Amino acid sequence: AKRQTVVLPRGETSVLILNGNGRSGAAGLAGAQVKEHGYLVAAVGNAPRTDYRRTLVLYRPGMKGEAQRLARDLGTGIVAPLDGLTKSELMGAHVALILGP
């Protein structure tokens, strides 16, 4: 798969972190990890469901490169277009990290 161009530097890429596994504190821990890599954390919260089978990095249109970079930095995540989240649910973030098991 060809790599998409990355437009924004890490320090300008905002990430919404949602706990999709139901484990208490998982999103907060991930938030700290994302910040260590230099990203902005837009918000931390719970995903609409807690039965995600894998960690997902969802991106708004045009942000695939940023999503791929985040997944590489964290060493986890299936990169996919926004699915099951609306742009308004992203709360202004460029990418959403939904934590799986």
Side-chain angles (χ1 to χ4, degrees):
K2 113 176 161 43
R3 282 235 169 107
Q4 297 292 314
T5 322
V6 175
V7 183
L8 295 173
R10 285 177 178 85
E12 290 173 27
T13 304
S14 64
V15 183
L16 170 65
I17 299 167
L18 297 175
N19 182 341
N21 62 33
R23 278 206 315 276
S24 175
L29 285 172
Q33 198 183 6
V34 166
K35 279 184 184 151
E36 275 171 25
H37 284 285
Y39 294 92
L40 301 170
V41 173
V44 173
N46 289 316
R49 18 179 272 260
T50 55
D51 60 349
Y52 283 87
R53 290 204 186 88
R54 3 182 35 155
T55 294
L56 301 176
V57 181
L58 305 180
Y59 58 89
R60 60 166 69 214
M63 294 286 149
K64 185 174 184 183
E66 286 76 1
Q68 289 173 331
R69 178 182 61 196
L70 177 65
R72 276 200 312 278
D73 284 349
L74 297 178
T76 185
I78 308 295
V79 177
L82 275 186
D83 176 27
L85 278 185
T86 63
K87 270 204 221 171
S88 66
E89 285 175 304
L90 270 181
M91 297 190 272
H94 300 110
V95 297
L97 175 66
I98 300 184
L99 302 171

